[in-house]
Amino acid sequence: MKGLISMIDALYNYRQGDIHSTEFSDDFNKLCIPFEDSLSEEQIDVFHKILDCVSETAAAEMRAAYKVGFKDGATMMQEIQD
């Protein structure tokens, strides 16, 4: 089972490179740019750390969802063949 999890991780990480999401949405920019402009340098550093934490959490959730979806898909295929 551990090998399967590693393989799913490898597949996810390979496919992740195909996802191009480096641009923020217009709504994000409309909210964050004026907000950042109102902060001190120290507050900007804290804000960026918070954004990094949010991003890391979202990435971890996507990886977990990918694994669950992959396992569910494999289970469905197996059930269809049985």
Side-chain angles (χ1 to χ4, degrees), residues 36-71:
E36 269 191 55
D37 289 344
S38 72
L39 301 176
S40 69
E41 288 298 319
E42 185 178 323
Q43 290 170 323
I44 289 172
D45 289 341
V46 171
F47 179 58
H48 287 178
K49 288 177 184 176
I50 291 169
L51 290 177
D52 289 344
C53 288
V54 169
S55 179
E56 289 170 10
T57 300
E61 289 172 352
M62 287 191 317
R63 280 191 301 276
Y66 183 86
K67 289 177 189 178
V68 169
F70 189 95
K71 290 176 187 177

Side-chain angles (χ1 to χ4, degrees), residues 8-82:
I8 295 171
D9 279 337
L11 286 169
Y12 177 82
N13 290 329
Y14 172 74
R15 295 294 299 160
Q16 188 179 19
D18 292 341
I19 300 170
H20 303 287
S21 59
T22 56
E23 293 183 23
F24 292 110
S25 71
D26 288 338
D27 289 338
F28 182 86
N29 286 331
K30 285 178 188 175
L31 290 171
C32 285
I33 291 172
F35 178 69
E36 269 191 55
D37 289 344
S38 72
L39 301 176
S40 69
E41 288 298 319
E42 185 178 323
Q43 290 170 323
I44 289 172
D45 289 341
V46 171
F47 179 58
H48 287 178
K49 288 177 184 176
I50 291 169
L51 290 177
D52 289 344
C53 288
V54 169
S55 179
E56 289 170 10
T57 300
E61 289 172 352
M62 287 191 317
R63 280 191 301 276
Y66 183 86
K67 289 177 189 178
V68 169
F70 189 95
K71 290 176 187 177
D72 287 348
T75 300
M76 288 188 314
M77 287 187 284
Q78 187 175 15
E79 288 177 3
I80 290 170
Q81 286 188 344
D82 291 343

